[in-house]
């Protein structure tokens, strides 16, 4: 992972968290924003999980977002 990816993830994490607070949980935008948030979270804090490959972070974020959004 490059340093610019780390700093971008840190910035995106704060933006996504604010956006998630304004959206309703049953909206399509919430699920998409949740994916972005989880992906940024994995990139920013998940270095111990060996998630330095962008494609793998996206897959993991999609999996987690689908699971969380499916919970009612």
């Amino acid at each position: 992972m490059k340093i610019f990816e780390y700093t971008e993830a840190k910035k995106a994490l704060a933006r996504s968290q604010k956006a998630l607070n304004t959206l309703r949980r049953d909206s399509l935008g919430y699920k998409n924003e949740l994916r972005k948030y989880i992906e940024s979270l994995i990139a920013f804090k998940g270095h111990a999980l060996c998630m330095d490959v962008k494609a793998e972070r996206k897959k993991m974020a999609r999996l987690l977002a689908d699971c969380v959004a499916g919970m009612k």
Side-chain angles (χ1 to χ4, degrees):
M1 178 191 272
K2 308 264 189 288
I3 190 68
F4 75 89
E5 290 177 318
Y6 180 81
T7 55
E8 285 297 315
K10 185 177 180 180
K11 292 175 189 175
L13 195 61
R15 284 191 304 255
S16 290
Q17 191 170 17
K18 287 179 184 177
L20 282 173
N21 290 334
T22 61
L23 294 171
R24 292 178 15 160
R25 289 191 74 172
D26 58 347
S27 68
L28 181 61
Y30 181 84
K31 187 175 178 181
N32 291 335
E33 199 60 44
L34 184 61
R35 273 191 200 146
K36 291 178 189 176
Y37 177 76
I38 293 172
E39 185 180 344
S40 297
L41 186 64
I42 291 170
F44 182 61
K45 299 207 179 207
H47 53 66
L49 298 173
C50 297
M51 298 302 287
D52 59 342
V53 178
K54 187 174 184 174
E56 294 300 316
R57 289 195 305 264
K58 284 185 176 267
K59 289 177 191 174
M60 184 64 74
R62 185 174 52 242
L63 174 68
L64 289 171
D66 289 344
C67 291
V68 171
M71 293 179 193
K72 297 277 180 182

